[in-house]
Each structure stands twice: as C-alpha cells, then as structure tokens.
Amino acid sequence: ACIIGSPWQDDGLFNSIIYCEGGRISARYDKQELPNYGVFDEQRLFEKGRSPACVVELKGVKIGLAICEDVWFERVPKAAKEAGADLLIVPNGSPWRRSIHAERAEAFDRWSGLGLPYLFVNQVGGQDELVFDGGSYATNSTHGERCGLIGQFEAGTELTEFDIEAKRFILKDRGCRLDHDGWHMEYRAATLALGDYVNKNRFPGVVIGLSGGIDSALTAAIAVDALGPERVWCVMMPSKYTSSESLEDAKLCAGMLGVRYDIINIAPGVSAMDEMLGDAFAETQPDTTEENIQSRLRGVTLMALSNKFGHMVITTGNKSEMAVGYATLYGDMCGGYNPLKDFYKTEVFALSRWRNEHHPKGALGPAGEVIPERIITKPPSAELRADQKDEDSLPPYDTLDDILRGLVDNEEDIRDIMARGHDEATVKRIEHLLYLAEYKRRQAPPGAKVGGKNFGRDRRYPITNRFRDD
C-alpha cells in the first residue's frame, strides 16, 4: 500500500491523503486544520475536511491518517485514537525556520498522553522563500524519544519497523538524533534554498557583484557551497570611491572560493551619466542621487552579463538594510534571489565566522577559511562617497538589529523596545524608516525564510497608508 498527498476535487477542493492498495484508491482523508497565518493561505485554497478521523487497516495494523497542521492540535490525533488507530502516519509540507524544532515539540507533545505512535514524514527542499528541512522521524510517545530516519535537509528512503503485538515502533539506537538548531542548520537552509532555486529554474550558474564587503563575500560562499565553484562568477565593479583594501579583499575571497573573478570598472559609465545629466543637474549639489547612479550602473552591468550568458544575478543585501531601506532599487536590489534576505547584519557577521571555522555537511565549496578576516573586521561601507561608513547614518548594528527584531519579528510596541534601554528618538526614526521602505521590499527578489517573520508572505503591510505616527 502507498499514501499519496494530493489536492482532491469532490464538491469542493481539499488538501488530501490518498490511500492506495491493490491497484486502487481505497480511502481518502481530507485535512481538517487549515493554517491561515504567516506564509500559509490554505483557507483561500481548500475546504475543511468533513471528518476528523480516517483509519485504514493493513496486515492487521490500524493506521490513522493526518496531514501536517492536523497534529499541531489534539483533535485529529484524539479522533484517530478513538477510531482504533494503532499508529498515525503524518505527511507534512512543514517549512523550516530557526524555531521550528521547539515549536513542533511543544505542539506534538500536547497529545503525547494519547499513547499513539506516529511517523512524521516531511518534505525536503527549497521553494521560493520557503525551505523544507525533512527531518522525518518515528516516535512512540514524546518528541524527545523520536528516532530520526533520514537526517535534515537530506532526501532519501528509510525502513522503520512496527511491532504489531506491542504496538510500538522498534527504534534503532544509531542515527536517531536529529540535529539541534544552530548556525549549521541556518547555513544549510540558506544553501539548500539557493541551490534548489537555481537548479529547479534551470540556470547554468550565478553571477555576483563581489565588493570586498562581508555581505557579498558570505553570499558568494553560500553560492559556492550550493552550486560548486565552477558555477559561480564573481565580478568586482570599482568606482573612484572603491578602496584598495576592497579590491584586495575581493580578489583574495574569490581565490579562496575558487571562482571565476573579473573586474569591470564602472567609472566610465559614471562619467557618461554625469555628462548626460549635466544640464538637468546644473546648480544642484551632489547627494544620494549620484550614489544611487553608481549602484544602478552595477545592477545594469550584472544584468547585462546575465542576459548575455544566462547566469542568474544574486543580490547580497541583508535584512537590516532591507528593513531601513538602505538598498537601491534597480541597483544592489537587482537580481533573481537573495540568500541573505532574512539574516540581520549581526547574524551575517556570526555566520561568516562560523563558515570559516566549519565545512558544512554537503557543501561543494572548499574547507577552511573562505572569507578573509579583514572583510569581517573592517567597518562596513557602501563606498559610494569618500570616507563613507554605514554607522555615519545608522546606529551601531547591535543596536539597530535589536530594535528591528522588536519591530519586525516580535511586533513590539516601541515603549517595550525603549524599556530595553534604547533612545526614543532612535527607535522612532528606525520605525519611520521601516515603514518608508515598504515599497522597496515589495519589489525585492525572494530569499529564504530563516526567522520568525521574513520580508515576504509573513509581512503584509500596505505601501500606501496613513497610520504612521507624526
């Protein structure tokens, strides 16, 4: 017998499990609990199943069927138990985030007192902004006694035995533990998400603007680990404000990663734009307009390479920048995917150090240091004007990221954020920038969801509104 997850049309559209035996469909279960929060929209698509219990019998074992969210609450497992189920099989499309293990454990353990063994079988792979971790396991009772079957972020098959008389799984001792959360999980999630996006959409490779800064360096490392160095093309695009250190660091990083590295100077393009706009800009002072021209010329350059050779452009902006709008439309936001979209700047630093110290499981890139130490330690700068530093116009990233986590991930009141010691004027300014940049984020490429609330389907704020504080 086999179980297949499928949409099913029958006087309404249902999210269903099809139970097939002897060459025919012998039973069907329709999902009861339809999530309608965060990234989920099931109530827009499906109708609720009409019965909370579906039990089939195979070789003397009564098997209850449920789908994903059904086991986040007690009602469906309890109905299956009352209908005589000896075990529960639960196919899942449960996307990963850094808190998912704790969330699943808390939810599933609420009905562990039923004494109903179950198989948790989860999808693996990336799909747009979501990444599915797999992590399938068998357990006889609580989440803490689970026996991992395949591993996380890995696809495969595994056999597990069920003792018919004892009505328990025979859990093997070896290989049972699933990985704990940590940087290794977050890095593998970002790598799998990018690799699947590129491969499933049939791009031959990726092209990245390698600036000598930490964001583009970490992005390049993730790309190499996901695709292999032969499919990653890094391009340095200096202007007159690009420091010699950035040129040196970018070249060194590309060498460490083993990727193709080219330099395309944008200074002639900047001069051409200055001449083109000279009359229109007469009697005005240079400002962010001229800075954005440089960024947009880099975007045009990368897109030209993409169009000519087929490689997808990867953007490199982190969540801190995307939150406050420190990114240029049609410039550094120009591209098809952003692996760092849900990582704050402080997390980019931590993840870069972690990658230098570890070789992730399944990584196609080299072991050892792949991001030069100076890239990690030097003050971040967009290098769009002389002596520019990020902290010229932003609070230190430790401060900024704590405020943003409060505003974005936790949706805290600003008074709660200020109670942690943050200055009122700073918090209100960051909140204002967050609201102001909504239109930019709506036009940004997708990126893997890592935290509790990503800039994508998790956050659906209007661009046009009058709810901002004066």
Side-chain angles (χ1 to χ4, degrees):
C2 64
I3 295 169
I4 303 170
S6 174
W8 191 268
Q9 182 77 42
D10 182 9
D11 193 25
L13 184 64
F14 298 93
N15 186 353
S16 304
I17 295 174
I18 312 303
Y19 179 79
C20 304
E21 184 181 17
R24 62 185 179 87
I25 295 174
S26 56
R28 185 185 97 234
Y29 170 75
D30 301 326
K31 188 175 180 181
Q32 292 282 302
E33 303 290 347
L34 303 180
N36 203 56
Y37 56 86
V39 301
F40 302 105
D41 285 309
E42 289 200 37
Q43 291 181 27
R44 296 178 64 189
L45 304 172
F46 300 112
E47 294 191 33
K48 179 180 177 180
R50 299 183 177 95
S51 173
C54 178
V55 177
V56 297
E57 186 168 339
L58 179 66
K59 297 184 182 294
V61 179
K62 293 182 178 180
I63 301 170
L65 303 178
I67 303 174
C68 204
E69 193 90 356
D70 287 333
V71 298
W72 286 69
F73 306 94
E74 185 186 45
R75 187 170 68 94
V76 171
K78 184 178 180 181
K81 179 71 173 181
E82 291 174 349
D86 298 318
L87 67 94
L88 200 61
I89 296 181
V90 192
N92 290 259
S94 180
W96 180 87
R97 52 192 175 273
R98 59 169 59 113
S99 60
I100 193 62
H101 286 167
E103 292 177 39
R104 288 173 185 159
E106 181 183 0
F108 302 168
D109 284 354
R110 292 185 195 130
W111 51 269
S112 61
L114 295 174
L116 184 62
Y118 66 94
L119 276 172
F120 174 90
V121 186
N122 193 28
Q123 179 172 322
V124 183
Q127 185 181 44
D128 300 345
E129 69 186 54
L130 300 181
V131 58
F132 299 88
D133 61 309
S136 302
Y137 64 88
T139 184
N140 288 317
S141 54
T142 65
H143 205 70
E145 296 176 13
R146 62 190 175 176
C147 179
L149 300 177
I150 305 295
Q152 291 179 273
F153 301 110
E154 296 179 46
T157 58
E158 183 58 272
L159 180 70
T160 187
E161 292 184 70
F162 187 76
D163 188 318
I164 296 177
E165 293 184 0
K167 295 185 178 181
R168 293 176 59 84
F169 287 111
I170 301 172
L171 303 180
K172 58 186 181 181
D173 293 329
R174 58 181 179 81
C176 272
R177 296 188 63 183
L178 295 177
D179 291 334
H180 293 295
D181 293 328
W183 292 123
H184 65 294
M185 294 288 286
E186 302 194 12
Y187 193 90
R188 289 186 72 191
T191 303
L192 179 61
L194 174 63
D196 275 7
Y197 192 87
V198 173
N199 291 327
K200 290 177 180 179
N201 289 299
R202 300 179 181 177
F203 288 100
V206 296
V207 58
I208 303 169
L210 193 65
S211 67
I214 192 167
D215 296 317
S216 63
L218 179 58
T219 300
I222 291 172
V224 168
D225 285 334
L227 303 169
E230 69 282 355
R231 296 178 66 191
V232 179
W233 182 6
C234 290
V235 182
M236 162 54 104
M237 295 167 286
S239 73
K240 67 177 182 179
Y241 300 116
T242 302
S243 66
S244 58
E245 288 84 359
S246 292
L247 286 164
E248 293 166 3
D249 292 343
K251 183 178 180 180
L252 180 59
C253 183
M256 288 175 166
L257 290 168
V259 300
R260 175 180 173 179
Y261 176 72
D262 288 300
I263 298 176
I264 299 176
N265 195 330
I266 66 166
V270 174
S271 297
M273 290 297 297
D274 288 343
E275 183 179 348
M276 287 169 54
L277 295 167
D279 291 341
F281 285 4
E283 300 181 7
T284 66
Q285 295 298 316
D287 54 20
T288 55
T289 305
E290 284 76 12
E291 295 181 26
N292 288 339
I293 285 172
Q294 297 171 64
S295 180
R296 288 179 176 130
L297 279 171
R298 291 182 172 120
V300 167
T301 301
L302 292 175
M303 284 306 302
L305 297 175
S306 175
N307 292 161
K308 184 64 71 175
F309 301 105
H311 288 51
M312 185 187 76
V313 179
I314 296 182
T315 65
T316 62
N318 60 70
K319 192 172 185 177
S320 305
E321 294 171 350
M322 296 305 300
V324 296
Y326 277 50
T328 305
L329 273 177
Y330 326 120
D332 55 322
M333 290 175 63
C334 178
Y337 201 80
N338 181 0
L340 302 185
K341 186 173 182 176
D342 207 26
F343 288 102
Y344 289 108
K345 187 75 169 189
T346 49
E347 294 168 348
V348 169
F349 282 108
L351 199 59
S352 297
R353 290 197 178 281
W354 180 89
R355 176 58 181 89
N356 275 350
E357 297 167 1
H358 299 84
H359 190 235
K361 186 175 182 180
L364 301 178
E369 185 179 16
V370 293
I371 300 174
E373 180 66 17
R374 187 166 65 180
I375 287 181
I376 299 175
T377 58
K378 67 183 178 183
S381 170
E383 294 191 328
L384 296 174
R385 65 174 183 267
D387 301 320
Q388 185 180 26
K389 300 290 185 295
D390 287 6
E391 292 185 6
D392 293 342
S393 54
L394 289 174
Y397 278 112
D398 285 342
T399 299
L400 175 65
D401 288 355
D402 187 65
I403 294 172
L404 289 173
R405 285 189 188 94
L407 293 171
V408 178
D409 295 64
N410 302 324
E411 294 189 338
E412 292 178 304
D413 188 283
I414 63 169
R415 288 167 294 188
D416 295 326
I417 299 172
M418 288 158 48
R420 296 200 296 271
H422 295 296
D423 173 69
E424 180 178 0
T426 301
V427 175
K428 287 188 172 181
R429 176 171 173 261
I430 299 306
E431 182 189 44
H432 174 72
L433 292 174
L434 175 68
Y435 288 150
L436 205 62
E438 199 67 48
Y439 79 100
K440 287 188 179 181
R441 291 189 292 270
R442 196 71 63 87
Q443 300 180 64
K449 173 182 167 69
V450 174
K453 286 238 175 70
N454 72 333
F455 288 136
R457 285 181 290 178
D458 269 338
R459 180 182 170 89
R460 307 187 193 189
Y461 276 64
I463 295 171
T464 304
N465 62 75
R466 296 298 298 270
F467 63 75
R468 299 176 195 155
D469 293 337
D470 292 333

